[in-house]
Amino acid sequence: MSNRREFLKGAVTGAVAAAAAPYAVQASASEMPKKWDMTADVVVCGFGGAGATTAIVAAQNGASVI
């Protein structure tokens, strides 16, 4: 039997995954650039709750996000 906390944890995890799906990018090793010179308005390290929210909101507001 699950409790309310487990239900909410699963719901939040699902919502974050659904919101982040359009921003997910997969590249094979052959597609990886040899040079990594990039500029961005926002650089997010990690894609937990705070990182996902930061990346999504920044991109929605027009910032370039890495």
Side-chain angles (χ1 to χ4, degrees):
M1 180 165 194
S2 64
N3 58 26
R4 187 180 324 171
R5 180 177 288 178
E6 289 176 18
F7 171 78
L8 290 174
K9 192 162 114 178
V12 169
T13 301
V16 169
Y23 301 100
V25 176
Q26 289 183 326
S28 68
S30 63
E31 298 173 0
M32 300 294 273
K34 296 194 187 280
K35 197 169 184 181
W36 287 86
D37 294 338
M38 299 177 79
T39 59
D41 298 320
V42 179
V43 177
V44 178
C45 297
F47 205 69
T53 303
T54 301
I56 292 167
V57 171
Q60 288 175 341
N61 286 307
S64 63
V65 180
I66 297 175

